Amino acid sequence: MLQQVLAPAAGTQASGNTVHVVGAGPVGLLVAALLQSGGRHRVHLYEKRSEYTRTRMVQLAPYIVADSVESYSADMVDGDSVSAIFDPAELQEGLAFRQSMPADLMTHLRRWARGFCPLNDIERSLSELIDTRDGPGVMRTAASVTIDYMAEVAKPGDMIVDCTGARSLFRPHLMPAAEDDDANTYTLRLEYALVVTFLYGQPYECNEFCKYYKNIENPYYKFIPAVNRTYTDGHTTHVTGIVSIPDADYDRMPSRFDGQWLRSNFPDVAHSMDRFIAKVQRETSGEIIGDLEIIRIPLNLYHARNTTSRALRRSGNGSPFANTPVFLAGDSAMGSPYFQSISLGFENAMFLASLVQQGLGREEMEDRYELYTYKQWLRVYMRSRLIKHNKDLFERVGDNFALLEKLHIY
């Protein structure tokens, strides 16, 4: 039986229909916090985890807290894409919603856009914010819910927001007469990589010149710290970088391991990383604090072909969600590598919350959300392909013929 627990100090419930937010990760919590402050609907939050334990470091993209079209489009990688894909009125609408957000929430977002922070710090901060606010509370259900259960609890006029992540609960069920669970998902694998994180006992920053000169002696594997993805408190720096690896290496590695395991089992990969770190140490006289934390992941780019239950409504196929609007948000809707997913998810959450708070009809909400998420998909697709292409070029700098093979010149 599912256990329903009212959030501590949550106050009274809002009037109106219920928005069921499935998944209380960072995106689900942001959706709940935004709708809670709007006060138009009751909010019911479902989460299977009993505590927040994910410590990987993340940073919000600056466009999440942009206050002008110019600052929203300032990113050197996709600024032109933003101007080409989105109408000026769409951008202005998004900026207006940001300016209307509660100060308690915007203060957190600005802090998370300044530098790296642990993912569970974001989750805990949003959860505490929801629980300690005055006014309408958020009902919580602590359990792993199912499609059948949600079909039972959703009443006429309710809405479901799926924030369950890459293995989305609802995504496979939003396409009429789907032949398999992947029919509603388009996936592109860009590469396999090791994500390496460590603490360094000195302030440290790295740009493209740094990455090039410190990788000169690495003929194949190259350790590449992410631009603007280091975080320092003035004494200790948190560094995150990636090393591209072939399929064969990926298949032979566990999902998570440390630097000692890597040196024992894949010495060539470890040497590339250690050479880079040794050069940093010679320049800054710092030391690694603790051990390296390494995970191996596929760098996938994917999106849902249907991000709402619009297709079910139009098909009249008898699905219980043909009569209940369902929206995918965060990694349920789309996911991307190179540290972009959490920002994409927050962008989804803010746009969806703005539609809900406008009190639009179901058909208009679905049409606008489908168009918006497709535009965001175009944006992140072009951005990710450009980042991958630039990485490929970088790894071939110094080998002119290999470099030319990666170029298409008119």
Side-chain angles (χ1 to χ4, degrees):
M1 178 179 295
L2 296 174
Q3 180 184 5
Q4 295 188 343
V5 183
L6 188 65
T12 60
Q13 290 290 300
S15 60
N17 299 109
T18 300
V19 178
H20 303 270
V21 182
V22 185
V27 175
L29 289 164
L30 181 62
V31 170
L34 289 169
L35 297 181
Q36 177 191 30
S37 62
R40 292 179 60 92
H41 299 77
R42 293 186 295 269
V43 182
H44 196 146
L45 187 60
Y46 302 81
E47 174 56 47
K48 65 182 179 181
R49 293 174 295 168
S50 60
E51 59 181 327
Y52 295 112
T53 59
R54 296 182 293 180
T55 57
R56 68 182 178 88
M57 304 295 279
V58 297
Q59 180 186 20
L60 295 186
Y63 66 74
I64 290 296
V65 293
D67 57 5
S68 68
V69 173
E70 290 74 23
S71 59
Y72 187 86
S73 311
D75 191 292
M76 63 175 293
V77 177
D78 72 350
D80 291 340
S81 298
V82 169
S83 301
I85 293 172
F86 295 96
D87 296 331
E90 290 178 297
L91 298 177
Q92 290 290 356
E93 182 180 355
L95 294 171
F97 181 75
R98 284 165 168 74
Q99 292 164 5
S100 71
M101 287 169 54
D104 57 2
L105 188 54
M106 185 55 74
T107 298
H108 283 304
L109 295 179
R110 291 195 179 101
R111 175 167 64 90
W112 298 327
R114 284 199 298 267
F116 261 137
C117 62
L119 183 60
N120 60 0
D121 178 67
I122 294 177
E123 292 171 321
R124 289 168 183 165
S125 297
L126 288 173
S127 186
E128 290 172 5
L129 177 67
I130 291 170
D131 291 349
T132 56
R133 275 175 166 170
D134 295 329
V138 171
M139 182 72 74
R140 292 181 183 261
T141 291
S144 179
V145 300
T146 65
I147 287 285
D148 291 339
Y149 175 80
M150 294 309 303
E152 291 180 7
V153 300
K155 306 300 182 186
D158 286 357
M159 184 176 113
I160 297 170
V161 183
D162 179 358
C163 303
T164 54
R167 297 181 180 88
S168 169
L169 179 64
F170 279 88
R171 189 171 65 234
H173 302 277
L174 297 184
M175 203 165 181
E179 296 180 358
D180 58 69
D181 287 350
D182 294 327
N184 194 34
T185 306
Y186 170 78
T187 301
L188 173 68
R189 177 156 297 155
L190 297 179
E191 60 182 321
Y192 288 109
L194 301 181
V195 178
V196 183
T197 61
F198 60 88
L199 294 176
Y200 185 66
Q202 287 288 342
Y204 163 69
E205 295 182 2
C206 188
N207 58 25
E208 278 74 11
F209 294 98
C210 163
K211 295 170 189 179
Y212 170 70
Y213 285 111
K214 289 180 174 59
N215 272 299
I216 286 178
E217 297 172 10
N218 293 331
Y220 183 70
Y221 300 102
K222 297 184 186 296
F223 175 70
I224 306 177
V227 177
N228 297 327
R229 297 289 174 172
T230 58
Y231 170 75
T232 180
D233 62 3
H235 303 283
T236 303
T237 304
H238 185 285
V239 181
T240 296
I242 63 175
V243 181
S244 297
I245 57 174
D247 297 8
D249 287 0
Y250 180 89
D251 291 338
R252 294 166 52 205
M253 292 178 178
S255 60
R256 186 179 298 271
F257 48 92
D258 58 21
Q260 182 177 352
W261 188 95
L262 184 68
R263 294 181 183 97
S264 299
N265 294 275
F266 289 86
D268 290 341
V269 181
H271 289 161
S272 70
M273 179 184 61
D274 289 337
R275 287 190 195 102
F276 191 104
I277 295 172
K279 291 181 179 181
V280 173
Q281 290 175 315
R282 285 197 295 271
E283 290 179 0
T284 60
S285 301
E287 296 293 335
I288 300 292
I289 300 174
D291 201 353
L292 305 174
E293 295 182 5
I294 306 171
I295 60 173
R296 62 106 168 97
I297 58 172
L299 296 181
N300 289 340
L301 182 65
Y302 68 88
H303 80 113
R305 301 182 188 277
N306 297 277
T307 56
T308 74
S309 54
R310 180 178 67 178
L312 299 179
R313 171 175 56 81
R314 291 176 174 176
S315 70
N317 70 343
S319 166
F321 304 108
N323 298 316
T324 301
V326 178
F327 296 82
L328 305 181
D331 285 352
S332 291
M334 69 184 78
S336 61
Y338 311 124
F339 310 102
Q340 301 173 102
S341 283
I342 188 170
S343 299
L344 268 180
F346 276 25
E347 190 83 333
N348 281 161
M350 289 190 288
F351 184 78
L352 180 57
S354 73
L355 296 180
V356 173
Q357 292 184 12
Q358 290 175 52
L360 304 177
R362 175 182 177 180
E363 185 172 348
E364 184 177 0
M365 281 187 62
E366 289 174 340
D367 289 346
R368 290 191 60 185
Y369 191 72
E370 290 279 4
L371 178 60
Y372 172 82
T373 53
Y374 185 69
K375 288 185 174 185
Q376 286 291 354
W377 159 250
L378 291 178
R379 175 190 185 184
V380 76
Y381 173 82
M382 291 188 289
R383 178 186 175 89
S384 299
R385 292 297 304 222
L386 180 59
I387 292 172
K388 176 63 168 66
H389 184 61
N390 288 347
K391 278 182 76 271
D392 290 344
L393 297 182
F394 171 81
E395 290 171 353
R396 288 157 179 81
V397 170
D399 185 341
N400 290 339
F401 291 107
L403 190 63
L404 288 169
E405 288 177 355
K406 284 290 180 181
L407 297 177
H408 184 74
I409 303 171
Y410 287 91

